[in-house]
Amino acid sequence: DGGITQSPKYLFRKEGQNVTLSCEQNLNHDAMYWYRQDPGQGLRLIYYSQIVNDFQKGDIAEGYSVSREKKESFPLTVTSAQKNPTAFYLCASHLTGQETQYFGPGTRLLVL
Amino acid sequence: SQKIEQNSEALNIQEGKTATLTCNYTNYSPAYLQWYRQDPGRGPVFLLLIRENEKEKRKERLKVTFDTTLKQSLFHITASQPADSATYLCALVRTGFQKLVFGTGTRLLVSP
């Protein structure tokens, strides 16, 4: 099956801890994105990457980091600097030249 | 400032009626606008795309209109069914950019 997978489905973070959310796609898409979704605020862009080994900050990058070492993988690390990490995190990808973004099932991050 | 607005109140309609959802934007000149469906705890799923030079687009029971003078898109679901109950998000791309900007979404509830 082709698609985007995210893991884990639920993630718990302790105070001061860094956690990493996984995003993998086998659609051969060039571009990948990370969004954060809070109730009543819609999706906000954290980071995006249009090619391997390159990524750009989105609108709310502070407290987050990413890497893009492989085309199919775009992990997101929520660092201890992110003071309000509780949210639903969505990964998406699209093929260059096409406009539709394909989303993963999401990871819900909760703080203990 | 740039804004995308969708009605934050849920839209309740009866099965068989037409649902109409609104997306208004300010201070954007979008190249195109997209509509996505999101079910609770899941990632958004692409439904329709309409370009700035198109007035209307249809797909089965779905219809989207795009009025760049009014800066508004309307999303219609005809002969609505309880299975259409979900949150519907509009998203637009600013001309010359690749990033999508999402509205907050409107929840649709179709009762039998």
Side-chain angles (χ1 to χ4, degrees):
Chain A
D1 281 340
I4 302 178
T5 57
Q6 291 185 242
S7 62
K9 189 173 175 65
Y10 296 95
L11 186 57
F12 298 91
R13 193 190 92 163
K14 293 180 184 177
E15 203 72 40
Q17 187 182 39
N18 291 356
V19 292
T20 297
L21 285 62
S22 168
C23 177
E24 303 277 332
Q25 53 96 3
N26 61 3
L27 300 167
N28 201 32
H29 286 174
D30 310 291
M32 297 186 75
Y33 302 79
W34 273 106
Y35 295 92
R36 170 181 171 140
Q37 189 174 32
D38 296 278
Q41 291 201 43
L43 278 69
R44 291 183 290 167
L45 183 64
I46 304 173
Y47 268 99
Y48 65 104
S49 167
Q50 295 185 312
I51 55 171
V52 174
N53 292 322
D54 188 45
F55 48 82
Q56 285 80 39
K57 292 182 180 180
D59 301 314
I60 55 164
E62 187 174 345
Y64 301 96
S65 66
V66 293
S67 63
R68 186 87 187 276
E69 296 176 4
K70 298 187 295 183
K71 187 176 186 178
E72 55 271 21
S73 179
F74 191 40
L76 173 76
T77 297
V78 184
T79 74
S80 57
Q82 172 50 245
K83 298 306 178 189
N84 185 22
T86 298
F88 189 49
Y89 290 86
L90 288 158
C91 179
S93 71
H94 83 86
L95 193 61
T96 301
Q98 295 184 3
E99 299 95 351
T100 304
Q101 289 194 12
Y102 294 83
F103 284 83
T107 293
R108 191 165 296 279
L109 177 61
L110 300 163
V111 177
L112 292 176
Chain B
S1 62
Q2 297 170 320
K3 268 199 286 189
I4 303 172
E5 292 181 332
Q6 294 185 258
N7 195 341
S8 58
E9 290 183 16
L11 177 63
N12 289 276
I13 64 167
Q14 279 214 300
E15 183 175 10
K17 302 290 185 186
T18 296
T20 299
L21 286 69
T22 304
C23 177
N24 295 301
Y25 59 92
T26 54
N27 297 325
Y28 280 114
S29 294
Y32 54 84
L33 188 145
Q34 301 182 10
W35 284 88
Y36 288 78
R37 169 185 172 139
Q38 187 176 24
D39 291 286
R42 309 280 296 269
V45 175
F46 170 77
L47 296 174
L48 279 170
L49 178 151
I50 187 164
R51 300 185 188 284
E52 59 181 335
N53 59 351
E54 297 175 320
K55 297 292 185 191
E56 182 179 297
K57 206 77 168 283
R58 291 175 186 262
K59 180 183 175 184
E60 297 172 351
R61 294 185 296 113
L62 309 180
K63 184 177 88 171
V64 172
T65 62
F66 194 11
D67 189 326
T68 54
T69 302
L70 291 178
K71 295 187 181 297
Q72 181 181 80
S73 175
L74 298 179
F75 177 78
H76 306 272
I77 305 176
T78 58
S80 59
Q81 304 165 359
D84 294 327
S85 299
T87 295
Y88 292 85
L89 305 167
C90 72
L92 57 83
V93 171
R94 288 166 284 179
T95 305
F97 289 83
Q98 291 288 326
K99 294 179 288 182
L100 283 178
V101 181
F102 283 85
T104 55
T106 297
R107 190 170 170 216
L108 173 65
L109 298 168
V110 182
S111 50

